[in-house]
Amino acid sequence: MKKIILIISIVIGVFACVKNDERVKNITVDDLKLILKESKNIQLLDVRTPSETSKGIIFDAKQVNLVSNDFEEKAIDILDKEEPVYIYCRSGTRSKIAANVLVENGYDVYNVKGGYLEWTRKTKE
């Protein structure tokens, strides 16, 4: 029982520490749909795991697993700092972490609130 309480405390502590940098702009899935309608040539980054992305991605999003040891290096290698980055994960938590990493490296970042789950829900309506 003590181990479970400890694990829950750690998880809550980690999520409490993940504050969204004010330089990261949040957009909705509806916003992203409009942006993609205007231009399919945007930097869209999916930071989910390979097993998650194998079930589907949004358009031709670039994929860099946030939990990999070299996330920052891989993301910087494939992204253009001169263009905005639209970033999503499964539900919005990991993309906030990734967005903060990219902002610290000089990128203009838009976090898609609700992530892939919200995208699939909205595109089925």
Side-chain angles (χ1 to χ4, degrees), residues 32-76:
L32 180 62
K33 286 164 65 174
L34 287 172
I35 293 164
L36 288 168
K37 194 174 193 177
E38 291 175 10
S39 174
K40 299 230 187 273
N41 195 22
I42 67 167
Q43 291 192 106
L44 184 59
L45 182 64
D46 185 329
V47 296
R48 297 176 297 153
T49 65
S51 65
E52 291 172 305
T53 59
S54 71
K55 296 173 183 148
I57 62 171
I58 299 173
F59 289 97
D60 61 348
K62 297 174 182 180
Q63 301 165 31
V64 181
N65 180 3
L66 175 66
V67 297
S68 67
N69 291 334
D70 55 355
F71 167 77
E72 188 172 359
E73 179 182 308
K74 284 182 178 178
I76 289 170

